[in-house]
Amino acid sequence: MDKSITLPPDEIFRNLENAKRFAIDIGGSLTKLAYYSTVQHKVAKVRSFDHTTKEATGDNLYEISVQEEVTARLHFIKFENAYIETCLDFVKDHLVNTETKVIKATGGGAHKFKELIERKLGLKVDKEDEMTCLIKGCNFVLRNIPHEAFVYAKHADSEFRFQTTQPDIFPYLLVNIGSGVSIVKVESEDKFERIGGSSIGGGTFWGLGALLTKTKRFDELLQLASKGQHTSVDMLVKDIYGGSYGSLGLTGDLIASSFGKSATADKEFSKEDMAKSLLHMISNDIGQLACLYAKLHNLSRVYFGGFFIRGHPVTMHTITYSINFFTKGEVQALFLRHEGYLGAIGAFLKGAEEDNPNQYSWGENYAGSSGLMSVSPDMNPMQRARSGTFDMLEMDRLEGKLVNLPLLQDASSYIPDTVDLTEDAHAREYWLYCFEEALDGVVKRAVASQPDMPEAAERAEKFRQKYRHKLQTLRHQPFAYGSLTVRSLLDTREHCLNEFNFPDPYSKIKQRENDMALKYYQKAVKCLDELSWEERQYALVRVELMDVICPVSSLVDCLLCSAGRPWLVDSYDQWFERLKGPPHKCAMFFVDNSGVDIILGVMPFVRELLSRGTEVVLASNSGPALNDVTNGELQILTESIAAMDPVIQAGLREDRLTLVQSGSSSPCLDLSRLDKVLAMVVRERKTDLVIIEGMGRAIHTNYYAMLRCESLKMAVIKNSWLADRLGGKLFSVVFKYEVPAPSQHSAALTPS
Amino acid sequence: MYLNVEKRKTQEKCDITFPWFGMDIGGTLVKLVYFEPKDITAEEEQEEVENLKSIRRYLTSNTAYGKTGIRDVHLELQDLTLCGRTGNLHFIRFPTHDLPAFLQMGRNKHFSSLHTTLCATGGGAYKFEADFRTMADLQLHKLDELDCLIRGVLYIDSVVSSGPSECYYFENPTDPDRCIQRPYTLENPYPLLLVNIGSGVSILAVYSESNYKRVTGTSLGGGTFLGLCCLLTGCSTFEEALEMASQGESTRVDKLVRDIYGGDYERFGLPGWAVASSFGNMMSKDKRESVSKEDLARATLVTITNNIGSITRMCALNENIERVVFVGNFLRVNTLSMKLLAYAMDYWSKGQLKALFLQHEGYFGAVGALLELLHPS
């Protein structure tokens, strides 16, 4: 045991002081430790002033206070078995307050280290069945982590093709390649069956490989294999036939007999070639069996895991190849980003059943998680040097359970993001640059948001380092957290800000802008009311899109100005025609920014909808992100608008105007992960119109989202690169009105 | 006895000139069958050219040819009637890498002067076609190996009536003490799964004499066993490898279920003796140093055999076939593998699947080629 190592504690075993419920999964070479902690987060809360004290507080409508909120977090840490003792010591030393008495354990090594764990931690080791843990863990990540599963394509532009989370993850086949192979059919949360297996697995590669090449380590064997030529060792079809075996469709390069050429005493074979041949032999064999089982049980989703696969591009490639060969492309080999953690996650869940972890949704915390291939020396030498071989996964418990928007046309094929930066290298370059450039500004704003806290500058600096490091990682490994998208870059930034207790850097700005915009509300409404019905419909769209306050004197001219039309995407005429028809039953409005946008843009629009007899549901973020209006803020704003505007007031009173939270704290919008209440309201109110506004929600995401009801996507493109990409100019307008009948689709906008 | 079409056909007279050969050139071995007419009339004897006579004498009076050619005397079928002629069918094999020596011999014995058509199957029929032409002035009639295989199996099974039954199985395969070889009558053989274990493995589902499909195959076959044994133990022949395997203990090399779980893995119905990881113990340096070459040879044999067993079993399930016939030269003098296959089929299928074997293991392709010479299909 290497006790000389020192751990960078802050970065690895985080939040130990609040840790409870431990689980450990000890494999042949890696240990995975899991624990549950509660995190004290600073959150920005808004609160209406009491009217009696309003005089004393100046012009502000509401007060912002930073409060402590306790949220639950799951920590998973993976390290080499050599570090076990050091790590257990560290955990023991930092475990302050725990009533925990047992530690759930799984994996082949759990038995071997039982005594050590009990002695070091003073916890009783409670062994859990390995396969049960594995399946529980697998179900958990498939349900909670978007882009958990991926297809590996060695020669494609992006090697990792992430799969969207399926509404129903069952049934599936899990092929676990440890020292042997287990093939498990999973039919539901509690129902799974080991339908078969094989003794030719990772242990065969390792054991036989060590005998053949005198190379001891598994990784080294893979290294050898990746450099070898199997054709000198294997007998190919062409070695027997001289070419292909045409009538059976067997090509000449196919292996007819593994190691068939080594059946001779008088020839030497290179280690590399033998390792390669062995790798092919084992991968093909496993692939073939997996296909036979998949066929027999009629399953098309086949996930591969186990130490043979674990983050090794070489084995992912050979397995993928084998599956393609044997199923002629009908079944895809799927791999999991957090495959190494499944056992630990499952063991943890077994121990945490009384906390009902499965009744919540959980989200990967990008700030605290290392990401795919973080410890692969080939992929990222820099990172390995920095944090040793420690890999982390953190998951935050979300408010409630997140579900699909019931109005998605096809939930299983819905992809929120418009551009996949993992695949689009040019776009990736641009956006990574963009976010890096913007970092100074974000840091400044973060510091400015906490003027009373002297150490804010220091924290902001830490935030800068962390986020910059994330950006650097993503430059090398764009696949680290699933598909890289503008949304994931924004979300990662939010997670990093939260990590350093900058819960809402825009809170003051939002407050100022809200106060300012409120002052113009009545004038704006009056202006609009004076217009003819036709003019007003156009002006409402204009004012919604404008996001700037014009001098009121020129407001009308400005609103009615039709210069610039047709817009980049312009289905206003169709929308206008629709408005002449019967009112919608209920509109779900996903709102964007605070200030002018919500108060002078959205609210008059809402007012018009209400006047038409349409019910309106305003969906806003649960937590802060950029200058987006949060549910808390929107409630106060709506109330104060209601005080000025009888239409809004009546709407609220009659329950025709409702506010719901989206369940998200992102500047973008994932319609497959929304608050359960929102989905319920959509159903109950028979929502027949969805309005999505702003760049983050309507352009970066959901631009191509297909809904089962009418939808309106509105945004002004405030980024010249993106405008250019979409074939327009800076401040181009997108007004996309879609009706789900195939004949009425508006022209699709295709990036050039 | 069940009279199949193949047998009926071969009872019809034909006027194909002697010698009658069928050849199967595989990745490792060349298999040759030779029909020796025993009803040669005095007239024929006189007319028989010297070259033909010399070939007949050479083949029938020897049991070994050159350094590596061998006649499997115990498989010889005597008093066989083929196309109205009575005679003996001889079974000869030699390594594919000695094919040049064979061609040289054919040249020396002026084989080409006999103007015979040489029916050949196996990959080598294609690969070495030009060599046959240039080195021995022989024109090959190339035949598909799976067609020949099935034709050969059905024919041999139908004509063997005396001596040990062609088809056999192992009774009580799961009980080593009571496991004995028993004759099996392959009446109404369809559908059957035919597993040919040569250098590699082909698995065929046969529904009738003319209706079959190749279900799948695996590259882990006899060539893999021998190839790995050569690398691991330094041996150089199949016989040596088998001999070592018979003396070794695979449980020192393989990691068993009980090595991991201390006993059975009851939750999944895995018995403690089942192999969890082939060569799994060899991950440990100490254990690598403590195993013998014999142990390694045995483990290699067990690994390859069990794997063929698993794939076969899955194919049988997918194709819904209960009878499996194993053929191919990997099974030659390899009772260990046959018993393992019999055991694996029976145990893992809970008695549903029956493993059958044939005496003429590896020669069916060559027999099929010979039949094609006499009665083109």
Side-chain angles (χ1 to χ4, degrees):
Chain A
M1 297 280 169
D2 185 358
K3 290 184 94 171
S4 60
I5 55 152
T6 47
L7 303 171
D10 294 347
E11 290 177 37
I12 295 171
F13 296 100
R14 303 180 352 134
N15 270 322
L16 269 177
E17 5 0 308
N18 304 310
K20 60 171 187 170
R21 298 202 196 291
F22 285 84
I24 195 163
D25 172 11
I26 307 177
S29 55
L30 293 174
T31 295
K32 283 76 68 173
L33 185 71
Y35 56 89
Y36 173 98
S37 79
T38 46
V39 189
Q40 293 247 322
H41 257 311
K42 294 221 185 322
V43 289
K45 290 273 179 193
V46 289
R47 207 185 54 175
S48 257
F49 283 115
D50 196 336
H51 283 287
T52 53
T53 57
K54 191 176 174 183
E55 298 307 313
T57 53
D59 290 340
N60 291 344
L61 173 68
Y62 55 85
E63 120 184 276
I64 307 162
S65 62
V66 173
Q67 295 172 14
E68 294 283 338
E69 195 180 69
V70 177
T71 56
R73 179 174 289 178
L74 302 183
H75 300 256
F76 303 96
I77 302 103
K78 182 161 74 183
F79 49 87
E80 287 174 17
N81 287 356
Y83 291 72
I84 282 190
E85 207 162 340
T86 319
C87 290
L88 292 178
D89 282 337
F90 182 87
V91 170
K92 180 69 194 167
D93 292 347
H94 292 77
L95 212 53
V96 183
N97 149 47
T98 182
E99 291 146 26
T100 307
K101 296 275 185 292
V102 295
I103 177 166
K104 290 283 180 188
T106 188
H111 188 72
K112 191 172 149 196
F113 291 99
K114 180 175 188 286
E115 193 272 330
L116 181 76
I117 298 167
E118 296 194 332
R119 181 160 48 82
K120 292 275 179 192
L121 291 185
L123 300 175
K124 190 178 160 298
V125 170
D126 190 5
K127 190 121 180 359
E128 286 291 339
D129 176 68
E130 214 173 324
M131 196 62 74
T132 311
C133 292
L134 203 62
I135 303 298
K136 267 196 169 305
C138 193
N139 293 341
F140 187 79
V141 295
L142 285 175
R143 252 202 322 264
N144 287 293
I145 305 188
H147 293 171
E148 176 60 32
F150 61 88
V151 167
Y152 185 77
K154 186 183 176 185
H155 301 294
D157 287 342
S158 88
E159 294 162 270
F160 302 86
R161 282 211 307 277
F162 295 96
Q163 310 289 297
T164 48
T165 311
Q166 294 295 307
D168 189 6
I169 60 171
F170 305 110
Y172 66 86
L173 205 60
L174 178 67
V175 180
N176 191 54
I177 315 174
S179 46
V181 181
S182 281
I183 301 177
V184 186
K185 176 186 178 182
V186 187
E187 286 176 280
S188 71
E189 186 58 46
D190 301 307
K191 192 172 174 210
F192 68 90
E193 184 190 358
R194 184 187 189 275
I195 54 173
S198 168
S199 68
I200 299 186
T204 315
F205 178 70
W206 194 343
L208 198 44
L211 287 167
L212 292 172
T213 67
K214 316 283 178 232
T215 302
K216 288 171 207 149
R217 288 173 51 91
F218 179 72
D219 303 21
E220 289 167 27
L221 277 166
L222 281 181
Q223 282 283 316
L224 281 181
S226 62
K227 285 181 263 171
Q229 281 293 328
H230 75 103
T231 51
S232 65
V233 183
D234 289 343
M235 187 181 282
L236 309 184
V237 166
K238 70 179 171 207
D239 293 323
I240 301 175
Y241 272 82
S244 65
Y245 184 175
S247 63
L248 288 182
L250 305 178
T251 61
D253 289 327
L254 207 66
I255 305 170
S257 174
S258 295
F259 287 90
K261 281 186 195 153
S262 68
T264 162
D266 42 48
K267 219 180 136 199
E268 289 284 315
F269 297 91
S270 80
K271 291 177 175 185
E272 288 81 2
D273 292 354
M274 288 188 288
K276 176 75 163 211
S277 173
L278 186 61
L279 176 68
H280 276 303
M281 173 180 111
I282 290 169
S283 301
N284 286 340
D285 193 55
I286 296 170
Q288 179 172 28
L289 275 170
C291 293
L292 286 166
Y293 279 100
K295 188 179 169 200
L296 188 65
H297 293 263
N298 201 18
L299 297 168
S300 57
R301 268 177 275 175
V302 185
Y303 300 100
F304 287 85
F307 82 73
F308 185 69
I309 296 295
R310 202 146 302 161
H312 299 298
V314 190
T315 52
M316 289 195 285
H317 173 62
T318 52
I319 287 286
T320 300
Y321 178 88
S322 171
I323 294 291
N324 280 341
F325 174 79
F326 284 109
T327 68
K328 299 180 179 71
E330 277 173 33
V331 173
Q332 284 191 317
L334 296 168
F335 305 95
L336 300 169
R337 274 204 290 142
H338 299 102
E339 187 278 321
Y341 288 108
L342 302 186
I345 294 173
F348 173 82
L349 292 172
K350 281 292 273 184
E353 269 161 1
E354 64 190 72
D355 287 336
N356 268 327
N358 273 334
Q359 87 180 18
Y360 298 93
S361 282
W362 298 77
E364 180 177 10
N365 186 309
Y366 296 137
S369 302
S370 318
L372 188 62
M373 301 268 167
S374 70
V375 293
S376 166
D378 295 350
M379 300 301 259
N380 193 351
M382 174 191 75
Q383 180 123 350
R384 189 183 174 107
R386 203 186 69 90
S387 64
T389 50
F390 287 77
D391 185 275
M392 285 156 285
L393 165 65
E394 291 186 3
M395 297 189 69
D396 289 327
R397 196 175 80 190
L398 308 177
E399 292 285 321
K401 203 150 180 107
L402 300 184
V403 297
N404 279 315
L405 180 70
L407 293 168
L408 282 177
Q409 206 166 70
D410 177 15
S412 61
S413 66
Y414 168 72
I415 298 169
D417 305 287
T418 306
V419 181
D420 183 345
L421 303 180
T422 332
E423 286 179 3
D424 188 335
H426 186 57
R428 179 168 73 237
E429 272 307 305
Y430 171 75
W431 286 109
L432 285 171
Y433 166 81
C434 218
F435 277 86
E436 202 151 339
E437 284 293 290
L439 193 49
D440 280 341
V442 177
V443 169
K444 268 194 206 120
R445 207 169 300 119
V447 177
S449 72
Q450 299 181 348
D452 310 332
M453 299 186 190
E455 71 342 316
E458 195 186 318
R459 272 187 287 120
E461 201 46 46
K462 283 186 183 163
F463 154 74
R464 183 209 299 275
Q465 279 171 20
K466 181 124 195 172
Y467 190 58
R468 178 169 289 158
H469 179 254
K470 290 279 169 198
L471 291 175
Q472 277 164 3
T473 304
L474 288 167
R475 208 178 279 280
H476 294 290
Q477 298 150 258
F479 47 78
Y481 300 97
S483 289
L484 183 68
T485 59
V486 174
R487 176 168 64 109
S488 72
L489 285 167
L490 285 164
D491 289 353
T492 307
R493 192 166 71 187
E494 295 298 328
H495 290 178
C496 290
L497 280 166
N498 280 331
E499 205 53 47
F500 295 100
N501 275 321
F502 292 106
D504 194 356
Y506 279 88
S507 56
K508 294 265 160 44
I509 299 168
K510 287 188 286 185
Q511 185 180 39
R512 205 163 50 238
E513 288 182 353
N514 285 336
D515 282 338
M516 170 113 77
L518 275 174
K519 291 183 185 140
Y520 288 91
Y521 179 76
Q522 278 171 309
K523 285 177 200 160
V525 166
K526 184 161 171 283
C527 263
L528 288 163
D529 277 349
E530 282 164 3
L531 297 174
S532 69
W533 182 82
E534 287 190 15
E535 285 173 333
R536 189 163 68 246
Q537 303 315 311
Y538 182 67
L540 281 167
V541 168
R542 290 279 307 171
V543 78
E544 158 60 38
L545 289 166
M546 234 165 27
D547 204 13
V548 282
I549 304 175
C550 294
V552 176
S553 56
S554 61
L555 183 64
V556 174
D557 292 344
C558 183
L559 290 180
L560 296 179
C561 165
S562 63
R565 277 198 72 192
W567 297 316
L568 183 55
V569 178
D570 191 342
S571 30
Y572 176 76
D573 293 342
Q574 288 95 314
W575 169 246
F576 181 70
E577 284 307 309
R578 172 64 187 85
L579 289 177
K580 292 178 184 165
H584 295 91
K585 168 81 181 62
C586 172
M588 168 69 67
F589 205 138
F590 289 96
V591 301
D592 185 26
N593 296 341
S594 297
V596 174
D597 183 21
I598 184 75
I599 295 165
L600 301 182
V602 175
M603 281 303 180
F605 206 106
V606 169
R607 189 175 189 270
E608 183 73 16
L609 285 168
L610 289 170
S611 310
R612 278 172 60 79
T614 301
E615 290 176 28
V616 180
V617 182
L618 290 177
S620 52
N621 269 0
S622 303
L626 295 178
N627 63 336
D628 292 3
V629 64
T630 63
N631 188 249
E633 289 156 355
L634 189 55
Q635 285 189 0
I636 296 168
L637 294 178
T638 312
E639 275 167 31
S640 64
I641 289 171
M644 302 184 262
D645 184 343
V647 180
I648 298 292
Q649 191 167 49
L652 285 175
R653 193 179 55 235
E654 291 155 20
D655 197 29
R656 291 191 300 112
L657 172 61
T658 343
L659 273 56
V660 294
Q661 50 179 324
S662 65
S664 145
S665 305
S666 164
C668 295
L669 178 63
D670 179 353
L671 295 176
S672 67
R673 280 168 76 81
L674 293 173
D675 192 82
K676 214 163 72 176
V677 175
L678 185 150
M680 199 181 69
V681 170
V682 162
R683 272 197 210 89
E684 279 176 358
R685 307 218 162 191
K686 301 196 169 51
T687 302
D688 55 354
L689 173 66
V690 170
I691 305 173
I692 306 174
E693 64 137 347
M695 283 242 295
R697 290 174 182 75
I699 305 278
H700 290 316
T701 53
N702 299 308
Y703 191 75
Y704 298 114
M706 306 283 279
L707 300 181
R708 279 190 288 145
C709 66
E710 291 170 50
S711 64
L712 200 50
K713 297 166 189 169
M714 294 184 278
V716 175
I717 304 171
K718 292 174 225 159
N719 170 297
S720 57
W721 184 88
L722 184 63
D724 192 46
R725 238 305 150 112
L726 296 172
K729 293 197 198 74
L730 187 64
F731 301 121
S732 286
V733 168
V734 169
F735 186 91
K736 204 177 183 192
Y737 168 61
E738 289 166 305
V739 183
S743 56
Q744 293 186 47
H745 275 175
S746 58
L749 172 70
T750 43
S752 52
Chain B
M1 178 161 215
Y2 173 69
L3 194 69
N4 70 9
V5 180
E6 206 51 80
K7 191 172 178 189
R8 264 198 319 273
K9 262 200 235 164
T10 54
Q11 285 170 339
E12 294 160 14
K13 280 193 192 300
C14 66
D15 51 5
I16 307 287
T17 54
F18 289 118
W20 293 353
F21 279 109
M23 200 172 194
D24 176 3
I25 311 169
T28 311
L29 285 175
V30 179
K31 284 77 67 176
L32 189 68
V33 295
Y34 167 65
F35 182 78
E36 173 205 2
K38 296 296 267 186
D39 56 355
I40 296 176
T41 58
E43 200 181 345
E44 273 179 321
E45 178 98 43
Q46 272 198 330
E47 278 180 19
E48 191 175 27
V49 294
E50 201 45 47
N51 288 339
L52 181 58
K53 209 171 284 176
S54 120
I55 285 168
R56 178 155 56 89
R57 289 211 190 98
Y58 174 71
L59 289 176
T60 56
S61 59
N62 292 301
T63 57
Y65 315 94
K67 281 185 189 137
T68 53
I70 284 168
R71 180 152 63 89
D72 282 312
V73 183
H74 67 287
L75 294 179
E76 180 177 331
L77 295 176
Q78 294 180 341
D79 298 324
L80 193 69
T81 305
L82 203 53
C83 289
R85 300 301 300 256
T86 307
N88 299 342
L89 198 55
H90 297 278
F91 298 86
I92 298 161
R93 63 185 150 89
F94 60 87
T96 305
H97 60 75
D98 285 332
L99 192 69
F102 173 79
L103 292 177
Q104 191 57 47
M105 186 196 73
R107 186 191 178 98
N108 296 344
K109 294 192 182 296
H110 304 287
F111 201 93
S112 61
S113 67
L114 301 170
H115 301 293
T116 185
T117 313
L118 193 50
C119 279
T121 186
Y126 296 80
K127 187 181 177 186
F128 301 110
E129 187 185 14
D131 294 336
F132 271 83
R133 204 168 47 238
T134 56
M135 291 176 69
D137 193 23
L138 285 169
Q139 194 66 40
L140 286 187
H141 181 46
K142 304 190 297 293
L143 300 162
D144 180 78
E145 64 173 296
L146 300 181
D147 289 343
C148 287
L149 173 70
I150 288 172
R151 229 181 142 175
V153 166
L154 297 172
Y155 172 73
I156 293 288
D157 182 65
S158 71
V159 295
V160 174
S161 51
S162 59
S165 161
E166 177 64 20
C167 185
Y168 59 96
Y169 71 102
F170 289 90
E171 198 175 71
N172 307 316
T174 53
D175 181 353
D177 297 330
R178 292 167 53 229
C179 177
I180 36 167
Q181 190 173 325
R182 291 274 191 207
Y184 186 86
T185 315
L186 200 59
E187 275 183 293
N188 300 322
Y190 311 111
L192 71 83
L193 208 61
L194 185 60
V195 181
N196 186 33
I197 317 175
S199 314
V201 181
S202 274
I203 301 180
L204 317 177
V206 188
Y207 300 100
S208 76
E209 282 185 56
S210 55
N211 180 13
Y212 76 88
K213 67 173 180 187
R214 183 180 187 271
V215 180
T216 188
T218 166
S219 70
L220 283 81
T224 315
F225 164 65
L226 186 53
L228 280 175
C229 272
C230 290
L231 293 173
L232 292 171
T233 70
C235 73
S236 57
T237 68
F238 183 65
E239 288 76 5
E240 255 182 283
L242 273 186
E243 177 56 29
M244 277 201 279
S246 70
Q247 289 161 24
E249 187 59 69
S250 61
T251 53
R252 284 200 276 267
V253 178
D254 294 340
K255 189 169 272 192
L256 306 186
V257 168
R258 66 163 177 257
D259 296 332
I260 301 174
Y261 296 98
D264 298 349
Y265 191 0
E266 278 164 26
R267 181 148 184 357
F268 297 120
L270 287 177
W273 52 259
V275 184
S277 173
S278 297
F279 287 83
N281 280 341
M282 298 297 92
M283 290 187 274
S284 134
K285 185 167 175 283
D286 295 344
K287 287 183 175 155
R288 279 202 294 278
E289 283 161 3
S290 72
V291 293
S292 67
K293 288 182 171 184
E294 286 75 13
D295 295 339
L296 292 172
R298 179 64 163 250
T300 309
L301 189 76
V302 170
T303 302
I304 300 296
T305 306
N306 277 337
N307 189 60
I308 293 169
S310 305
I311 292 173
T312 300
R313 200 171 55 81
M314 288 309 296
C315 291
L317 281 171
N318 271 324
E319 302 300 321
N320 200 17
I321 295 177
E322 290 182 356
R323 236 173 334 190
V324 184
V325 178
F326 291 95
V327 296
N329 269 318
F330 173 67
L331 300 175
R332 193 174 61 78
V333 296
N334 188 358
T335 317
L336 267 176
S337 287
M338 287 191 280
K339 286 192 172 172
L340 261 173
L341 285 169
Y343 184 115
M345 289 299 109
D346 188 86
Y347 182 87
W348 296 109
S349 75
K350 301 189 174 72
Q352 284 295 299
L353 287 175
K354 197 166 199 77
L356 303 171
F357 304 92
L358 299 174
Q359 300 284 358
H360 288 83
E361 283 123 11
Y363 284 106
F364 299 107
V367 171
L370 171 67
L371 296 173
E372 189 64 29
L373 168 75
L374 305 177
H375 296 281
S377 53

